[in-house]
Amino acid sequence: MRQWEEMKLFPFLEGGNRLHKRLKITFNAPVTLGFVIMCFIATLLGVISNGRITQSVFMTYHTSLTSPMTYVRFVTHIFGHSGWSHFIGNASYLLLLGPMLEEKHGSKELIEVIGITAVITGIVNYIFFWNVGLCGASGVVFAFIILASFAGFREGEIPLTFVLVAVIFIGQQVYEGIAVQNDISNMAHIVGGIVGAVLGYLLNKKSRYGY
């Protein structure tokens, strides 16, 4: 009787308990989460092997075109990272932007964005930066950043957010590429941004017109 009186006096308690029971963790963005998990595993293997696995499997560089691994690494280089700080920095952006993009464009389209970015950055690095080893998901991250700036895109209009992101982003990468000496691949960032811009336009056009 006392319990019934409490529920009558505080009916929100019943709703709160029901809400609590229904609360659960969901695998809301399978492509994004799967990609981050694969990056984590690749980074872990690299750390355990003192970089040997990263260099042999998860890093693209100028090797013989007769070697099958040359073509494999055009894709797998996006999973490997130079260390945990490199991984955490990229994973944070992937987990922030990926679910939103996956919900908006679909899992299949996000796989295409990741794959196209990986192949193009790998080929560009192979041809133009033959003495540089490239690994990490930075190109994909910047593709996601530019792709996200296309939110609200309409035919015949250029979103101001896209203009601002593109100008700031390209300006920063060009400056760092010229004036700053570090181990960051500005090329991958720029190529990733270009891929994100092109695919962002095409995906938004497809969602608007259905082709």
Side-chain angles (χ1 to χ4, degrees), residues 63-115:
T63 54
S64 174
L65 290 174
T66 60
S67 171
M69 285 304 298
T70 297
Y71 303 97
V72 171
R73 287 191 290 258
F74 281 161
V75 177
T76 59
H77 71 91
I78 60 174
F79 301 116
H81 289 76
S82 60
W84 290 119
S85 60
H86 188 199
F87 164 76
I88 291 171
N90 284 337
S92 300
Y93 282 105
L94 292 171
L95 292 172
L96 177 66
L97 299 171
M100 174 188 68
L101 295 173
E102 192 167 347
E103 182 178 359
K104 177 178 174 60
H105 298 294
S107 298
K108 176 177 174 290
E109 286 73 12
L110 203 66
I111 291 175
E112 292 175 354
V113 171
I114 294 171

Side-chain angles (χ1 to χ4, degrees), residues 13-148:
L13 290 176
E14 182 180 5
N17 291 332
R18 192 160 54 241
L19 179 64
H20 178 70
K21 291 179 181 178
R22 293 177 181 175
L23 191 63
K24 61 180 181 180
I25 297 175
T26 59
F27 204 71
N28 60 312
V31 171
T32 301
L33 292 169
F35 181 44
V36 172
I37 290 170
M38 292 176 71
C39 289
F40 172 81
I41 294 172
T43 304
L44 179 62
L45 291 173
V47 170
I48 293 173
S49 65
N50 199 26
R52 287 188 296 273
I53 293 179
T54 299
Q55 185 173 353
S56 61
V57 181
F58 301 112
M59 178 182 291
T60 182
Y61 43 88
H62 200 87
T63 54
S64 174
L65 290 174
T66 60
S67 171
M69 285 304 298
T70 297
Y71 303 97
V72 171
R73 287 191 290 258
F74 281 161
V75 177
T76 59
H77 71 91
I78 60 174
F79 301 116
H81 289 76
S82 60
W84 290 119
S85 60
H86 188 199
F87 164 76
I88 291 171
N90 284 337
S92 300
Y93 282 105
L94 292 171
L95 292 172
L96 177 66
L97 299 171
M100 174 188 68
L101 295 173
E102 192 167 347
E103 182 178 359
K104 177 178 174 60
H105 298 294
S107 298
K108 176 177 174 290
E109 286 73 12
L110 203 66
I111 291 175
E112 292 175 354
V113 171
I114 294 171
I116 292 172
T117 304
V119 172
I120 292 179
T121 53
I123 292 174
V124 170
N125 186 78
Y126 184 90
I127 295 174
F128 297 103
F129 303 91
W130 55 269
N131 60 335
V132 176
L134 176 66
C135 70
S138 300
V140 177
V141 166
F142 278 88
F144 278 16
I145 291 173
I146 298 296
L147 192 60

Side-chain angles (χ1 to χ4, degrees), residues 148-154 156-166 204:
S149 70
F150 267 88
F153 170 83
R154 295 181 179 87
E157 299 179 358
I158 300 176
L160 180 59
T161 51
F162 167 74
V163 175
L164 292 174
V165 170
N204 278 281

